[in-house]
Amino acid sequence: MTAGRLNGKIALVTGASRGIGFQLARQLAAEGAHVVAVARTVGGLEELDDLIRKAGGTSTLVPLDLTDMGGIDRLGAAIHQRWGRLDVLVANAGMLGVLSPIGHIEAKLFEKTLAVNVTSTWRLIRSVDPLLRASDAGRAIVVSSGAAHSARAFWGLYSATKAATEAIARSWASETENTALRINVVNPGATRTAMRALAMPGENPDSLPKPAEVAARILPLALADVTETGRLFDVRENRFLSYRAPE
Ligand code: NDP
């Protein structure tokens, strides 16, 4: 394998079985990182592994349902045992839940969406925070959405989970400001994936950027030269946006 910008690094990617996470995992591996790929769908993970190997890279597949909080703890322990550190975390896995009037959301689905989008992200952060601090250039990328900053009708559940996730990521960034760890939130923008098709069934997918294109813009946030932390990176604009200062 030719020299990449992430040679020798360990990168953990959740939601690596398809969509944005799949492509980001491929691209991180192509840069030389060993990718720890997490998702439930074994077929998708195996397809990823095949592509990574063909390109001369390596990965470890972790079939895991992120609502299994004990599993997340064990994953952190396993990474600690094998490598003693983690260089890149991409907290990307997510679900839409349902687009529905607030009063019509089923309690079970509300709790599950919260568990996948928010609780598992917190649990993962808690599990790997010491490992990222053990890296000489730990990088965390937390995938959010424009929905975190809007309050559109029927998007309440998804928006709430993304707003909560961003708040957790930003607080974590403030706590670690004086360390080598750099943590940023990403808004990928509308992307041609299964989730987007579920949210916007009438839309022509060909009008949207492909996940590989979106992933290519996110990838630089994993590199050692990143100085920003606690910022929101907007993929469409290809730049960091400012959070509004508290009043
Ligand atoms: P996809 O639906 O294509 O992929 C979602 C990924 O999350 C899959 O790999 C899926 O794996 C994984 N996942 C979902 N639930 C679980 C679970 N319980 N346990 C483990 N893994 C799980 O979505 P996208 O690629 O579009 O989304 C990636 C991220 O980008 C999400 O956080 C999404 O909110 C965000 N985003 C996407 C936008 C878009 O337009 N596509 C716009 C803005 C934000 P599996 O099912 O195999 O478990």
Side-chain angles (χ1 to χ4, degrees), residues 4-138:
R5 291 174 290 178
L6 292 168
N7 274 349
K9 304 272 188 186
I10 313 298
L12 169 60
V13 182
T14 67
S17 61
R18 62 173 184 267
I20 297 167
F22 183 98
Q23 296 300 338
L24 205 40
R26 263 186 93 175
Q27 293 178 19
L28 289 163
E31 288 285 355
H34 178 84
V35 171
V36 180
V38 179
R40 289 166 304 176
T41 310
V42 174
L45 292 177
E46 285 177 348
E47 192 189 328
L48 173 70
D49 185 53
D50 279 353
L51 289 169
I52 288 177
R53 274 169 200 250
K54 275 183 193 142
T58 58
S59 68
T60 299
L61 306 184
V62 182
L64 176 69
D65 187 327
L66 287 166
T67 59
D68 173 1
M69 301 300 161
I72 295 175
D73 296 348
R74 289 192 294 278
L75 174 60
I79 293 171
H80 177 252
Q81 210 167 27
R82 186 154 165 201
W83 295 289
R85 68 171 209 284
L86 180 67
D87 301 297
V88 179
L89 166 68
V90 183
N92 160 80
M95 60 184 281
L96 182 67
V98 65
L99 301 183
S100 160
I102 287 290
H104 294 194
I105 301 169
E106 276 182 39
K108 240 185 170 171
L109 185 61
F110 189 96
E111 295 296 346
K112 183 172 180 194
T113 310
L114 217 61
V116 172
N117 291 3
V118 183
T119 316
S120 83
T121 305
W122 158 71
R123 193 77 174 219
L124 190 60
I125 289 171
R126 194 180 76 151
S127 183
V128 302
D129 168 81
L131 302 174
L132 283 164
R133 289 175 193 249
S135 168
D136 54 3

Side-chain angles (χ1 to χ4, degrees), residues 163-178:
T165 302
E166 285 199 14
I168 289 167
R170 293 175 66 196
S171 293
W172 184 34
S174 298
E175 291 159 14
T176 54
E177 218 166 28
N178 297 326

Side-chain angles (χ1 to χ4, degrees), residues 142-209:
V142 177
V143 180
S144 182
S145 163
H149 304 271
S150 67
R152 289 167 66 190
F154 314 127
W155 283 76
L157 171 55
Y158 181 73
S159 292
T161 64
K162 291 301 188 180
T165 302
E166 285 199 14
I168 289 167
R170 293 175 66 196
S171 293
W172 184 34
S174 298
E175 291 159 14
T176 54
E177 218 166 28
N178 297 326
T179 72
L181 182 49
R182 305 287 89 181
I183 298 156
N184 290 293
V185 170
V186 169
N187 173 16
T191 309
R192 200 184 309 176
T193 68
M195 183 189 290
R196 180 71 189 184
L198 192 64
M200 300 285 181
E203 187 176 60
N204 175 7
D206 293 343
S207 66
L208 301 174

